Amino acid sequence: MRRTLAAGNWKMNGTPEMLADLATLTGGASDNAPQIIICPPAPLLTRAADATENGPVEIGGQDCHTNAKGAHTGDVAATMLKNAGASAVIVGHSERRADHAETNAQVRAKAEAAYAADLTAIICIGESEEERLGPDCLDIIAAQLDGSTPDGATADNTVIAYEPIWAIGTGRVPTMEQIIETHDMLRTKLTARFGDTGAQMRILYGGSVKPTNAAEIFKAENVDGALVGGASLKASDFQPIIDALAAS
Ligand code: PGA
C-alpha cells in the first residue's frame, strides 16, 4: 500500500506570519492519514520546522544544488536543507526548468544530491500545452521521467510529481482520462525499470489542484496525492485537499 502524500509548494511566497497556520494542518487519525509536506522558501525553512515541530507536517525545500558545497552564490545545498529541518526537496519543477534552464540530467543530479543528504526527492515532470496537443505527449513525459530519475531511486527516497505546465497556476486541469492515462503510463515505466520498488513509488498529480477538484482527481488508482501550489498557502484551502486524500 502506498501512503498518500499532500505536498505544498509555496514557491516565492510566504511570510513568517503565515507559518502559524501550518501547525493546524492534520492528516486525521485514521490508518489512511496522508503524509503532509510543506515547501516554503528557503529563508523560512528553519522557522517552518520550528512551527511544525510537534505535529504531522514535514518541511521540504523547493530546489537544491547538485554539489554538496562550494562557490555557488545564491544556491542551497541539500545538506543545508536537511540541517534546517527538511525531510524532502522538490527538484526539476517546471518553473526551475524554465527560469534556470535546468535539464533532465541536472534534475537527476539534484535528486542524487538529495539522496546523499538523506532527503526525499520530489522529481517534477510534465509537458507543455503544445506537447499535450501533439502526437508524442506520453513519449515526451516518459523521456523526462527516465532522464530525471536516478538509478538509485527507491520508494523511500523518491516521489514523482506529474505536473502539466499548462495546468500550473491556470485553473485548468487535464481531463480525468488524460490524468489516468498519464499516471498509468508512469506506473508502467517505473515498474519496468525498478520492479517492485517502482510499483511502490508515489506518483503525485500537480497543477491547479483545489478543494473543489481534489476528490475527483484522487479517485485515479495511480494518483497517490498532489503537489499543490496556490491552494497550499492557506490551511483553509489545503486542509480540504488533505481531507479529500484521507477519504480517497
Ligand atoms: P498550482 O501549482 O497548484 O498553483 O497550479 C502547482 C505547482 O506548481 O506545483
Side-chain angles (χ1 to χ4, degrees), residues 9 11 93 95 163 167-170 206-210 227-231:
N9 173 13
K11 310 189 179 188
H93 190 280
E95 287 151 18
E163 299 203 302
I168 294 176
T170 60
S208 296
V209 176
K210 307 289 177 202
L227 180 55
V228 183

Side-chain angles (χ1 to χ4, degrees), residues 46-122:
T46 307
R47 286 188 197 215
D50 288 347
T52 55
E53 200 178 358
N54 298 315
V57 178
E58 298 171 47
I59 298 301
Q62 297 177 9
D63 174 56
C64 65
H65 198 273
T66 54
N67 290 2
K69 62 176 180 175
H72 303 287
T73 303
D75 278 312
V76 173
T79 44
M80 295 171 181
L81 300 174
K82 179 78 181 177
N83 290 339
S87 60
V89 58
I90 299 167
V91 293
H93 190 280
S94 60
E95 287 151 18
R96 300 283 319 172
R97 291 178 187 259
D99 294 352
H100 301 272
E102 289 186 9
T103 62
N104 288 332
Q106 282 169 323
V107 174
R108 180 191 279 235
K110 287 179 180 216
E112 283 168 343
Y115 301 164
D118 194 24
L119 293 176
T120 298
I122 302 173

Side-chain angles (χ1 to χ4, degrees), residues 146-160:
D146 204 39
S148 304
T149 310
D151 290 336
T154 70
D156 289 331
N157 67 18
T158 300
V159 173
I160 303 299

Side-chain angles (χ1 to χ4, degrees), residues 131-240:
E131 288 166 341
R132 172 48 72 181
L133 295 173
D136 305 322
C137 182
L138 290 181
D139 291 343
I140 290 166
I141 300 166
Q144 285 183 350
L145 176 75
D146 204 39
S148 304
T149 310
D151 290 336
T154 70
D156 289 331
N157 67 18
T158 300
V159 173
I160 303 299
Y162 165 60
E163 299 203 302
I165 297 168
W166 52 274
I168 294 176
T170 60
R172 297 166 60 205
V173 288
T175 63
M176 277 313 291
E177 287 73 24
Q178 289 170 327
I179 292 177
I180 290 168
E181 181 184 41
T182 307
H183 280 247
D184 287 356
M185 178 278 290
L186 293 170
R187 176 69 60 213
T188 302
K189 294 282 177 195
L190 288 172
T191 307
R193 182 170 167 194
F194 296 105
D196 190 50
T197 294
Q200 295 307 319
M201 239 177 249
R202 273 106 40 102
I203 308 174
L204 310 183
Y205 169 77
S208 296
V209 176
K210 307 289 177 202
T212 45
N213 61 19
E216 183 69 20
I217 292 169
F218 297 151
K219 281 185 192 160
E221 186 192 335
N222 281 310
V223 172
D224 302 309
L227 180 55
V228 183
S232 72
L233 291 169
K234 287 191 293 183
S236 56
D237 289 329
F238 200 42
Q239 187 62 56

